Amino acid sequence: MHTPHRIENGRKFRIASLSPTPPKNAPSKPDGIRATETLLPRLYALQEKLFADGRKGLLIVLQAMDTGGKDGTVQHVFSGVNPMGCRVTSFKAPTPEELRHPFLWRATNALPPRGSIGIFNRSHYEDVLVVRVHDLVPKPVWSRRYSQINEWERMLTEDGYVVLKFFLHIGRDEQKERLQARLDDPAKRWKFEPADLAERKHWDDYMKAYQDVIRKCSTPWAPWVVVPSNRKWYRNLVVASAIVDALQKLDLKLPEPDFDPSAIRIE
Ligand code: ATP
Ligand code: MG
């Protein structure tokens, strides 16, 4: 299986040329939904094997603009996996203690143990996104972080981790509709945050920052998957197939028992 929208070398990546809607060769919506439904039981089985094998870990990074669908992706794609083998960490503005440490400290602390899946809902990439857009540290500091991140991710993959990073790309108009829907629908209103409107004003700066992230931090060992995310069904399909694809390539093995099962009699 091949993962669409996977970028291992982003040097020429241009975010302006990227459409947030499904490409022409995408399946129809009903076919796409069916395809995702067949992927989820496979994901369940692969996660169990990952756990039984115990030698590898999977780190999934989810980045998006507000309303981009990080929560929805976690809900849909991981609806079938065993919660015991999966942990979601949401990265908020750093605490005073986190700020007293290197920026990769809290990401390191949140790593999944081998045998399990860790999902970063936002991530260490905020340290070159929101931090850059709002000048939270001087440019010489944030501009060194791209290569620091690449080295950290390389260290992880050399140590038995698979690192998959998803940028859920929605258009500015789509964000407007989703924010409006949160305002209009009483059941969704709790999700509306006035602060999101302030961030929306910086849309172009964020796109520039995302473009640089994908240019500088797409590597063969930790690729970005840039997911056209205006349509939730297509987003879920791309994310689920990328994860199943990556787990399948791991050649996971059930451990051999260190006893002879045929010699055991259970009274
Ligand atoms: P949702 O709104 O769906 O609950 P969210 O990820 O937007 O999810 P919020 O609590 O609204 O969660 O926002 C978290 C905020 O923390 C974001 O604005 C993000 O940019 C900010 N943040 C994350 N990491 C950092 C960082 N290293 N430095 C500064 N701000 C950060
Ligand atoms: Mg938010």
Side-chain angles (χ1 to χ4, degrees):
M1 199 165 45
H2 143 88
T3 301
H5 314 297
R6 178 184 164 110
I7 300 178
E8 293 189 2
N9 178 344
R11 234 172 304 154
K12 295 193 179 134
F13 176 77
R14 280 183 54 242
I15 205 154
S17 63
L18 190 74
S19 167
T21 54
K24 283 205 184 73
N25 62 355
S28 68
K29 182 175 175 181
D31 284 352
I33 290 172
R34 260 193 300 275
T36 306
E37 277 167 8
T38 60
L39 283 167
L40 296 189
R42 281 164 70 190
L43 178 57
Y44 181 89
L46 283 162
Q47 185 209 18
E48 199 170 62
K49 228 169 166 188
L50 181 79
F51 184 76
D53 179 299
R55 295 171 306 159
K56 303 276 184 183
L58 173 61
L59 174 61
I60 292 170
V61 167
L62 294 177
Q63 284 289 159
M65 295 296 285
D66 292 305
T67 75
K70 295 180 276 78
D71 295 356
T73 303
V74 175
Q75 249 175 59
H76 279 90
V77 177
F78 294 92
S79 55
V81 305
N82 187 335
M84 283 195 295
C86 184
R87 185 172 67 165
V88 185
T89 306
S90 295
F91 287 76
K92 309 286 183 186
T95 64
E97 193 191 10
E98 285 168 348
L99 282 174
R100 288 202 302 274
H101 289 82
F103 79 101
L104 288 168
W105 180 70
R106 64 177 181 163
T108 305
N109 282 339
L111 283 172
R114 273 182 277 268
S116 66
I117 300 177
I119 301 166
F120 283 7
N121 182 354
R122 300 189 191 267
S123 66
H124 48 296
Y125 281 97
E126 291 291 327
D127 290 284
V128 285
L129 289 164
V130 63
V131 166
R132 168 178 167 168
V133 168
H134 289 286
D135 290 320
L136 299 181
V137 302
K139 181 171 182 182
V141 175
W142 62 252
S143 55
R144 281 195 296 269
R145 290 181 172 169
Y146 300 99
S147 61
Q148 291 166 349
I149 288 173
N150 287 346
E151 286 312 309
W152 183 76
E153 291 175 353
R154 188 214 293 272
M155 178 272 290
L156 292 179
T157 57
E158 288 174 352
D159 208 19
Y161 284 84
V162 174
V163 182
L164 266 185
K165 306 176 296 201
F166 296 95
F167 170 40
L168 312 179
H169 179 50
I170 57 166
R172 197 164 181 271
D173 295 347
E174 180 68 19
Q175 188 193 51
K176 184 178 179 183
E177 278 181 29
R178 293 185 185 189
L179 287 170
Q180 191 63 51
R182 287 182 180 184
L183 273 181
D184 295 345
D185 180 351
K188 288 186 180 167
R189 205 163 288 152
W190 63 275
K191 285 199 213 168
F192 182 84
E193 288 188 61
D196 293 354
L197 298 181
E199 288 315 292
R200 181 175 161 77
K201 294 213 170 81
H202 298 283
W203 186 274
D204 291 342
D205 292 338
Y206 272 108
M207 290 305 115
K208 233 190 270 168
Y210 269 107
Q211 176 170 283
D212 267 354
V213 158
I214 288 153
R215 284 188 176 177
K216 295 172 195 283
C217 298
S218 297
T219 56
W221 57 89
W224 274 99
V225 183
V226 178
V227 188
S229 297
N230 272 14
R231 300 288 165 267
K232 294 171 184 169
W233 66 267
Y234 187 69
R235 172 200 77 199
N236 293 341
L237 174 62
V238 172
V239 174
S241 40
I243 296 170
V244 167
D245 195 20
L247 286 174
Q248 262 168 350
K249 288 199 180 112
L250 280 182
D251 189 27
L252 299 166
K253 291 192 176 64
L254 298 175
E256 291 295 328
D258 52 4
F259 50 83
D260 176 4
S262 65
I264 295 182
R265 283 200 27 228
I266 301 173
E267 304 291 339

